[in-house]
Amino acid sequence: MVKTIVHKEIVDLFGEESSSDYLKEHIGEVVKELSKQFKEPEDCFRELAQNSIDAETPEIHIDFEAQPIDNKYVMQSVVFEDFGSGMSEEERDYFITIFKSSKENNPNKIGKYGIGILSVFLLNPDEFITESTGISKQNKKPESWRLHIKDLNNKSQYKIEKNIEERKGTKVVIRKKMTLEEAEALKQKAEEKVRYFCERSRTPIYIGGRFINKDFRLDTPIQIHRTSPGL
């Protein structure tokens, strides 16, 4: 459920936000660059999970919902939610700008390439929403915001809502018109990617309410244990 907006301030991305011009003018180039980094569009789910682990979330939830459009098509929604440190407005602009990351100086962070949430555009969604609350580096106060991009395959509309109700962590919603078969394939592929790359993480991950993590143990007489944040 989308959070209730309080003291809403909408900023047209075509205007004040510097990052918005980047999205407006270069979304095609962004997707082209992203495609060089990933073998398949569904790799974005791995990227989202790794970003959440970097944010030291206590758990990750991935849920799917299909709303029927007609006998052939559904509007498939994917909701990805964590409860980590969240993102400030400054950090939001970092992830919007491809290959630039606020994590670049931290060797313990997995998503060092700075692609992050932007990777979901490889799915060519019809609608993209992300909302988060992070601490401003300037005044140390919480900043809550929502980025909403819709009609990506037509006449795109972009906006940022500021000062929304505070939440813990980051939530990403992707919506795409698909056939029933395509929607089912997306669900299976998304789970496959997250399982392959993240199921051994110490961060609990739930897909459709199901706990998917596995204990990282080898059946050997000698075992060596090493811990690192999120792993």
Side-chain angles (χ1 to χ4, degrees):
M1 179 182 298
V2 177
K3 301 290 185 181
T4 302
I5 300 173
V6 292
H7 306 299
K8 182 171 65 175
E9 177 188 352
I10 297 178
V11 178
D12 184 350
L13 281 178
F14 293 142
E16 298 177 28
E17 296 291 329
S18 60
S19 58
S20 66
D21 292 333
Y22 186 89
L23 279 175
K24 176 183 176 182
E25 298 173 7
H26 302 294
I27 190 66
E29 295 179 18
V30 168
V31 173
K32 183 179 179 181
E33 289 298 320
L34 289 170
S35 66
K36 298 177 183 178
Q37 305 298 317
F38 299 97
K39 291 182 178 180
E40 297 178 294
E42 293 83 5
D43 284 328
C44 68
F45 293 105
R46 173 206 68 203
E47 188 72 18
L48 290 176
Q50 291 177 339
N51 280 1
S52 296
I53 292 170
D54 287 350
E56 300 181 357
T57 180
E59 57 189 44
I60 296 170
H61 290 262
I62 308 172
D63 294 291
F64 300 86
E65 182 180 358
Q67 294 289 337
I69 297 176
D70 52 34
N71 292 333
K72 183 178 180 181
Y73 291 98
V74 298
M75 183 60 72
Q76 178 66 54
S77 297
V78 183
V79 180
F80 191 103
E81 190 166 16
D82 73 39
F83 309 92
S85 56
M87 289 182 287
S88 65
E89 294 178 13
E90 179 183 4
E91 290 170 319
R92 175 198 66 211
D93 288 342
Y94 268 112
F95 85 71
I96 288 177
T97 306
I98 195 169
F99 298 134
K100 184 177 182 181
S101 174
S102 58
K103 297 179 289 186
E104 59 189 4
N105 294 320
N106 190 335
N108 290 323
K109 301 307 184 183
I110 300 171
K112 62 182 179 180
Y113 298 111
I115 296 185
I117 293 178
L118 203 60
S119 64
V120 302
F121 290 109
L122 283 169
L123 295 172
N124 192 29
D126 295 296
E127 188 172 8
F128 166 83
I129 303 169
T130 184
E131 58 184 59
S132 189
T133 299
I135 303 300
S136 170
K137 294 181 179 179
Q138 295 182 347
N139 58 28
K140 308 303 180 183
K141 294 182 179 180
E143 297 177 330
S144 300
W145 54 269
R146 179 185 293 113
L147 170 63
H148 189 178
I149 305 176
K150 62 186 298 187
D151 298 328
L152 281 164
N153 296 307
N154 191 12
K155 186 177 181 180
S156 300
Q157 299 176 31
Y158 305 77
K159 69 179 179 181
I160 288 178
E161 296 166 318
K162 296 184 178 181
N163 302 321
I164 65 172
E165 181 179 344
E166 291 183 17
R167 68 177 320 283
K168 179 67 174 177
T170 300
K171 182 177 181 179
V172 176
V173 180
I174 309 160
R175 297 192 178 104
K176 182 178 176 66
K177 181 180 178 180
M178 314 179 81
T179 65
L180 288 170
E181 293 76 13
E182 289 171 338
E184 186 61 32
L186 175 66
K187 291 166 58 178
Q188 293 179 1
K189 200 72 173 179
E191 180 167 347
E192 174 187 313
K193 294 293 184 179
V194 176
R195 280 185 177 275
Y196 183 81
F197 289 99
C198 304
E199 68 180 5
R200 304 291 182 179
S201 167
R202 297 178 65 184
T203 301
I205 301 174
Y206 298 86
I207 299 180
R210 293 178 291 107
F211 179 71
I212 70 158
N213 298 69
K214 292 183 178 180
D215 194 14
F216 190 75
R217 293 183 183 274
L218 299 175
D219 186 18
T220 59
I222 299 176
Q223 297 186 22
I224 299 175
H225 298 272
R226 178 182 182 273
T227 61
S228 184
L231 299 178

